[in-house]
Amino acid sequence: MMEGSIEEERKHDYLREEVRSNENDRMQLKRTIGYFNGVNFIIGTIVGAGIFVSPTGVLKYSLLNVGVALSIWTACGVISLMGALCYAELGTALPLSGGEYSHIKRALGSLPAFIFIWTAMFTKPASNATRALLFAEYATQPFYGVCPAPELLKKCLALAVIWSLGILNGRSVKMATWVQTVFTVLKMMALSVIGIGGIVLLIRGRKENLVRFENAFSSEIPDASQIAEAFFQGLYAYGGWWSLNYMAEEMINPSRNIPSTVMTALPAVTLFYLLVNISYLTVLTPKEIVSSVAVAVTWADRVIPSVAWVIPLSVAASIFGALNSSMFTLGRLSYAGSQSGHLPVLISMLNVHYWTPAPAMIFSTIIASIFIIPADLITLTNYFGFSVWLMIGLTCASLIVLRYREPNLQRPYKVFLPVAFAMVAVSLFLVLAPIVWSPKMQYMYALLFMLGGLLVYLPFVHFKLHFDFVDKITCYLQLLLEVSPADVFADGKYE
């Protein structure tokens, strides 16, 4: 027993010395993410497989009306930019890890923030698991030709990818941003090939290429419900514009770089989405696009048949980049939740060697891995789509609340306030529309799950129920993982 105590004390002394190694620094996340990295993270998160594989939803619900479809793609880009500008104000005023969670907690209180993180700990890891499985499918299918790849192989590869990225993000922020930059550049190169190819064909002026754009609005006009559904599809393709606020605590000069990053990334994505859709419509008819399983592959077979194999590789690279950025942001959400006492305290600790939230990355990676093994769990998350826009609405409402409740809060960037009100209205519509138009019991189950967070919140957060054995487990894991609580230093002294 005595030897064990001595060994444990030595371990603690070692950790103290590691932390003391630079007394001018505090034990906290480091600001290493600049403007260029921020742009790559936003673009990398937004652009996944959808624009390559199935950008058909908008066209389908626009009743194959080319003009309406392109207008909706543009409008969705504008709405996403409006939301991102609202988030930019919050991110510059409160540059904290955790994104929406931190802003909701500041403005609306602990309970709404806990409901957010309770729901996000179910939906976001499931989304990462879906991306990992989709990457595994595109990476393995070329080796099996027309036969489907074995499910076990895809799941094993998906787990390998999830853990590789989890370890990478847990060890080095610089390496994670480098990987993000590389894969964002690759996917944008692929989109550029498609977009420029379409422009070249359009400039050549073949009649069959121009006819769809000369009478763009001549087809049947969709009704209000169909237009709303097309907006759902378009806004889903822009999903991820909110990711920058999760890394606000690690951004260099956030008051300048957050607005600049947003104003660069969102217009760029909108422009690329429009160019790619125009390119698809230049080569393929609207009916061919809607019926195609993978639109980009069909496009490549028509335009660049000799190197059409590049497109599936581009899709895999695009998914990999989106998964990396999503893993990064989920780790920061877990870290912020733990700092606020909504998740176990170990999750908010930082590795003493790399100064990264390694426990938070391990925690979020384990949850994502659980979703990969039984695929049925992922299908359940399809009914939580409304929760994304519910939280966006609450975040924009938080901006409005803080404007009036904390008028003296320093705001390096201010969005035009009616933009925030408009985003709240859009979010409310997108929450209620699917429930009203196509009510399903699964939506009620999803809502009950969200409210079920109260069963955890009341005893463990509100009444602070605590078990002594948890402290022993935390101490053991702290030593094992070589992590220390954030902000260990106070005026340069170890506390």
Short mmCIF file of all heavy atoms in Angstrom, two decimals, residues 293-330:
data_model
loop_
_atom_site.label_atom_id
_atom_site.label_comp_id
_atom_site.label_asym_id
_atom_site.label_seq_id
_atom_site.Cartn_x
_atom_site.Cartn_y
_atom_site.Cartn_z
N VAL A 293 -28.00 7.89 -59.32
CA VAL A 293 -27.59 7.48 -57.97
C VAL A 293 -26.44 8.34 -57.49
O VAL A 293 -26.37 8.72 -56.31
CB VAL A 293 -27.18 5.99 -57.96
CG1 VAL A 293 -26.67 5.58 -56.58
CG2 VAL A 293 -28.35 5.12 -58.38
N ALA A 294 -25.49 8.65 -58.37
CA ALA A 294 -24.36 9.52 -58.05
C ALA A 294 -24.16 10.49 -59.21
O ALA A 294 -23.59 10.13 -60.23
CB ALA A 294 -23.10 8.69 -57.81
N VAL A 295 -24.66 11.71 -59.05
CA VAL A 295 -24.71 12.67 -60.15
C VAL A 295 -23.31 13.00 -60.67
O VAL A 295 -23.08 13.06 -61.88
CB VAL A 295 -25.43 13.96 -59.71
CG1 VAL A 295 -25.49 14.95 -60.87
CG2 VAL A 295 -26.84 13.64 -59.23
N ALA A 296 -22.36 13.21 -59.76
CA ALA A 296 -21.01 13.59 -60.18
C ALA A 296 -20.36 12.49 -61.02
O ALA A 296 -19.63 12.78 -61.97
CB ALA A 296 -20.15 13.91 -58.96
N VAL A 297 -20.61 11.24 -60.66
CA VAL A 297 -20.05 10.11 -61.42
C VAL A 297 -20.66 10.08 -62.82
O VAL A 297 -19.95 9.88 -63.82
CB VAL A 297 -20.29 8.79 -60.67
CG1 VAL A 297 -19.82 7.60 -61.51
CG2 VAL A 297 -19.58 8.79 -59.32
N THR A 298 -21.98 10.27 -62.89
CA THR A 298 -22.65 10.31 -64.19
C THR A 298 -22.11 11.45 -65.04
O THR A 298 -21.86 11.30 -66.24
CB THR A 298 -24.17 10.47 -64.01
OG1 THR A 298 -24.65 9.46 -63.12
CG2 THR A 298 -24.90 10.36 -65.35
N TRP A 299 -21.91 12.62 -64.42
CA TRP A 299 -21.35 13.77 -65.12
C TRP A 299 -19.95 13.44 -65.65
O TRP A 299 -19.63 13.74 -66.81
CB TRP A 299 -21.29 14.96 -64.15
CG TRP A 299 -20.73 16.22 -64.73
CD1 TRP A 299 -21.42 17.24 -65.30
CD2 TRP A 299 -19.34 16.60 -64.80
NE1 TRP A 299 -20.56 18.23 -65.72
CE2 TRP A 299 -19.27 17.87 -65.43
CE3 TRP A 299 -18.16 15.99 -64.41
CZ2 TRP A 299 -18.08 18.52 -65.65
CZ3 TRP A 299 -16.95 16.64 -64.64
CH2 TRP A 299 -16.91 17.90 -65.25
N ALA A 300 -19.12 12.82 -64.82
CA ALA A 300 -17.74 12.49 -65.22
C ALA A 300 -17.72 11.48 -66.36
O ALA A 300 -16.88 11.57 -67.27
CB ALA A 300 -16.97 11.95 -64.02
N ASP A 301 -18.64 10.52 -66.32
CA ASP A 301 -18.71 9.52 -67.41
C ASP A 301 -19.01 10.19 -68.75
O ASP A 301 -18.57 9.71 -69.80
CB ASP A 301 -19.78 8.48 -67.09
CG ASP A 301 -19.35 7.53 -65.99
OD1 ASP A 301 -18.13 7.38 -65.78
OD2 ASP A 301 -20.23 6.96 -65.31
N ARG A 302 -19.76 11.30 -68.71
CA ARG A 302 -20.10 12.00 -69.94
C ARG A 302 -18.99 12.94 -70.40
O ARG A 302 -18.71 13.07 -71.60
CB ARG A 302 -21.38 12.83 -69.73
CG ARG A 302 -22.61 12.02 -69.43
CD ARG A 302 -23.35 11.60 -70.68
NE ARG A 302 -24.59 10.90 -70.33
CZ ARG A 302 -25.77 11.51 -70.20
NH1 ARG A 302 -25.86 12.81 -70.39
NH2 ARG A 302 -26.83 10.81 -69.89
N VAL A 303 -18.34 13.63 -69.45
CA VAL A 303 -17.42 14.72 -69.79
C VAL A 303 -15.96 14.27 -69.80
O VAL A 303 -15.20 14.61 -70.71
CB VAL A 303 -17.61 15.90 -68.82
CG1 VAL A 303 -16.65 17.05 -69.15
CG2 VAL A 303 -19.06 16.39 -68.85
N ILE A 304 -15.55 13.52 -68.78
CA ILE A 304 -14.14 13.08 -68.68
C ILE A 304 -14.09 11.57 -68.43
O ILE A 304 -13.64 11.13 -67.36
CB ILE A 304 -13.41 13.85 -67.55
CG1 ILE A 304 -14.26 13.88 -66.26
CG2 ILE A 304 -13.05 15.25 -67.98
CD1 ILE A 304 -13.53 14.44 -65.06
N PRO A 305 -14.56 10.77 -69.36
CA PRO A 305 -14.68 9.32 -69.13
C PRO A 305 -13.36 8.64 -68.80
O PRO A 305 -13.32 7.66 -68.05
CB PRO A 305 -15.27 8.79 -70.44
CG PRO A 305 -14.97 9.85 -71.45
CD PRO A 305 -14.99 11.13 -70.72
N SER A 306 -12.26 9.14 -69.32
CA SER A 306 -10.96 8.48 -69.10
C SER A 306 -10.47 8.61 -67.66
O SER A 306 -9.69 7.78 -67.18
CB SER A 306 -9.91 9.04 -70.06
OG SER A 306 -9.75 10.43 -69.87
N VAL A 307 -10.90 9.66 -66.96
CA VAL A 307 -10.46 9.85 -65.56
C VAL A 307 -11.67 9.96 -64.62
O VAL A 307 -11.59 10.60 -63.57
CB VAL A 307 -9.57 11.11 -65.42
CG1 VAL A 307 -8.22 10.89 -66.06
CG2 VAL A 307 -10.26 12.33 -66.00
N ALA A 308 -12.76 9.32 -65.00
CA ALA A 308 -13.97 9.39 -64.18
C ALA A 308 -13.77 8.77 -62.80
O ALA A 308 -14.50 9.09 -61.85
CB ALA A 308 -15.13 8.68 -64.90
N TRP A 309 -12.75 7.90 -62.67
CA TRP A 309 -12.48 7.26 -61.38
C TRP A 309 -12.05 8.26 -60.31
O TRP A 309 -12.08 7.97 -59.10
CB TRP A 309 -11.37 6.22 -61.55
CG TRP A 309 -10.13 6.77 -62.20
CD1 TRP A 309 -9.85 6.78 -63.53
CD2 TRP A 309 -9.02 7.41 -61.55
NE1 TRP A 309 -8.63 7.38 -63.76
CE2 TRP A 309 -8.10 7.77 -62.58
CE3 TRP A 309 -8.70 7.70 -60.23
CZ2 TRP A 309 -6.90 8.42 -62.29
CZ3 TRP A 309 -7.52 8.35 -59.95
CH2 TRP A 309 -6.62 8.69 -60.97
N VAL A 310 -11.67 9.48 -60.74
CA VAL A 310 -11.25 10.51 -59.77
C VAL A 310 -12.41 10.93 -58.87
O VAL A 310 -12.21 11.26 -57.70
CB VAL A 310 -10.69 11.74 -60.53
CG1 VAL A 310 -10.48 12.91 -59.58
CG2 VAL A 310 -9.39 11.38 -61.22
N ILE A 311 -13.62 10.90 -59.41
CA ILE A 311 -14.77 11.41 -58.66
C ILE A 311 -15.06 10.59 -57.40
O ILE A 311 -15.24 11.16 -56.32
CB ILE A 311 -16.02 11.49 -59.57
CG1 ILE A 311 -15.77 12.50 -60.71
CG2 ILE A 311 -17.24 11.91 -58.76
CD1 ILE A 311 -15.47 13.92 -60.24
N PRO A 312 -15.13 9.23 -57.48
CA PRO A 312 -15.34 8.48 -56.23
C PRO A 312 -14.26 8.75 -55.19
O PRO A 312 -14.56 8.83 -53.99
CB PRO A 312 -15.30 7.02 -56.70
CG PRO A 312 -15.71 7.06 -58.13
CD PRO A 312 -15.15 8.35 -58.65
N LEU A 313 -13.01 8.91 -55.64
CA LEU A 313 -11.94 9.26 -54.70
C LEU A 313 -12.17 10.63 -54.09
O LEU A 313 -11.92 10.85 -52.90
CB LEU A 313 -10.58 9.23 -55.42
CG LEU A 313 -10.03 7.86 -55.83
CD1 LEU A 313 -8.69 8.03 -56.53
CD2 LEU A 313 -9.87 6.96 -54.60
N SER A 314 -12.67 11.56 -54.90
CA SER A 314 -12.97 12.91 -54.40
C SER A 314 -14.08 12.87 -53.37
O SER A 314 -14.05 13.61 -52.37
CB SER A 314 -13.36 13.82 -55.56
OG SER A 314 -12.32 13.90 -56.51
N VAL A 315 -15.07 12.02 -53.61
CA VAL A 315 -16.17 11.88 -52.65
C VAL A 315 -15.63 11.37 -51.32
O VAL A 315 -15.97 11.88 -50.25
CB VAL A 315 -17.26 10.95 -53.19
CG1 VAL A 315 -18.33 10.71 -52.13
CG2 VAL A 315 -17.89 11.53 -54.45
N ALA A 316 -14.78 10.35 -51.38
CA ALA A 316 -14.19 9.78 -50.15
C ALA A 316 -13.36 10.85 -49.42
O ALA A 316 -13.45 10.98 -48.20
CB ALA A 316 -13.33 8.57 -50.49
N ALA A 317 -12.56 11.62 -50.17
CA ALA A 317 -11.76 12.69 -49.56
C ALA A 317 -12.64 13.76 -48.93
O ALA A 317 -12.35 14.28 -47.84
CB ALA A 317 -10.84 13.31 -50.60
N SER A 318 -13.74 14.07 -49.59
CA SER A 318 -14.67 15.08 -49.08
C SER A 318 -15.30 14.62 -47.78
O SER A 318 -15.41 15.39 -46.82
CB SER A 318 -15.75 15.36 -50.13
OG SER A 318 -16.62 16.38 -49.69
N ILE A 319 -15.71 13.35 -47.73
CA ILE A 319 -16.31 12.82 -46.50
C ILE A 319 -15.28 12.81 -45.38
O ILE A 319 -15.59 13.15 -44.23
CB ILE A 319 -16.85 11.40 -46.75
CG1 ILE A 319 -17.96 11.42 -47.80
CG2 ILE A 319 -17.38 10.78 -45.45
CD1 ILE A 319 -18.34 10.04 -48.31
N PHE A 320 -14.05 12.40 -45.69
CA PHE A 320 -12.99 12.33 -44.68
C PHE A 320 -12.74 13.71 -44.08
O PHE A 320 -12.61 13.86 -42.85
CB PHE A 320 -11.71 11.78 -45.32
CG PHE A 320 -10.63 11.46 -44.32
CD1 PHE A 320 -10.57 10.22 -43.72
CD2 PHE A 320 -9.67 12.41 -43.99
CE1 PHE A 320 -9.58 9.92 -42.80
CE2 PHE A 320 -8.67 12.12 -43.08
CZ PHE A 320 -8.63 10.87 -42.48
N GLY A 321 -12.67 14.74 -44.92
CA GLY A 321 -12.45 16.09 -44.42
C GLY A 321 -13.60 16.57 -43.55
O GLY A 321 -13.38 17.20 -42.50
N ALA A 322 -14.84 16.31 -43.98
CA ALA A 322 -16.00 16.71 -43.19
C ALA A 322 -16.03 15.98 -41.84
O ALA A 322 -16.39 16.55 -40.81
CB ALA A 322 -17.29 16.42 -43.97
N LEU A 323 -15.62 14.71 -41.85
CA LEU A 323 -15.59 13.94 -40.61
C LEU A 323 -14.53 14.49 -39.66
O LEU A 323 -14.77 14.58 -38.44
CB LEU A 323 -15.31 12.47 -40.92
CG LEU A 323 -15.21 11.51 -39.73
CD1 LEU A 323 -16.49 11.53 -38.92
CD2 LEU A 323 -14.91 10.09 -40.21
N ASN A 324 -13.38 14.87 -40.18
CA ASN A 324 -12.31 15.42 -39.33
C ASN A 324 -12.78 16.69 -38.62
O ASN A 324 -12.59 16.83 -37.41
CB ASN A 324 -11.08 15.71 -40.18
CG ASN A 324 -9.95 16.32 -39.38
OD1 ASN A 324 -9.42 15.70 -38.46
ND2 ASN A 324 -9.58 17.55 -39.70
N SER A 325 -13.38 17.60 -39.36
CA SER A 325 -13.83 18.85 -38.74
C SER A 325 -14.97 18.62 -37.76
O SER A 325 -15.04 19.26 -36.71
CB SER A 325 -14.27 19.85 -39.81
OG SER A 325 -15.30 19.31 -40.62
N SER A 326 -15.84 17.66 -38.07
CA SER A 326 -16.94 17.35 -37.16
C SER A 326 -16.43 16.71 -35.87
O SER A 326 -16.94 17.00 -34.78
CB SER A 326 -17.93 16.41 -37.86
OG SER A 326 -19.06 16.18 -37.06
N MET A 327 -15.41 15.86 -35.97
CA MET A 327 -14.80 15.27 -34.78
C MET A 327 -14.18 16.37 -33.91
O MET A 327 -14.29 16.36 -32.68
CB MET A 327 -13.74 14.25 -35.17
CG MET A 327 -14.25 13.01 -35.85
SD MET A 327 -14.98 11.83 -34.72
CE MET A 327 -13.53 11.26 -33.84
N PHE A 328 -13.52 17.31 -34.56
CA PHE A 328 -12.87 18.42 -33.85
C PHE A 328 -13.90 19.22 -33.05
O PHE A 328 -13.71 19.48 -31.86
CB PHE A 328 -12.17 19.32 -34.87
CG PHE A 328 -11.38 20.44 -34.27
CD1 PHE A 328 -10.01 20.31 -34.09
CD2 PHE A 328 -11.99 21.62 -33.88
CE1 PHE A 328 -9.26 21.35 -33.54
CE2 PHE A 328 -11.26 22.66 -33.33
CZ PHE A 328 -9.89 22.52 -33.16
N THR A 329 -15.00 19.59 -33.69
CA THR A 329 -16.00 20.43 -33.03
C THR A 329 -16.72 19.67 -31.92
O THR A 329 -17.04 20.24 -30.88
CB THR A 329 -17.03 20.97 -34.04
OG1 THR A 329 -17.63 19.88 -34.75
CG2 THR A 329 -16.37 21.89 -35.04
N LEU A 330 -16.98 18.37 -32.12
CA LEU A 330 -17.67 17.60 -31.09
C LEU A 330 -16.81 17.49 -29.83
O LEU A 330 -17.33 17.55 -28.71
CB LEU A 330 -18.01 16.20 -31.62
CG LEU A 330 -18.76 15.27 -30.65
CD1 LEU A 330 -20.04 15.92 -30.17
CD2 LEU A 330 -19.07 13.95 -31.32
#
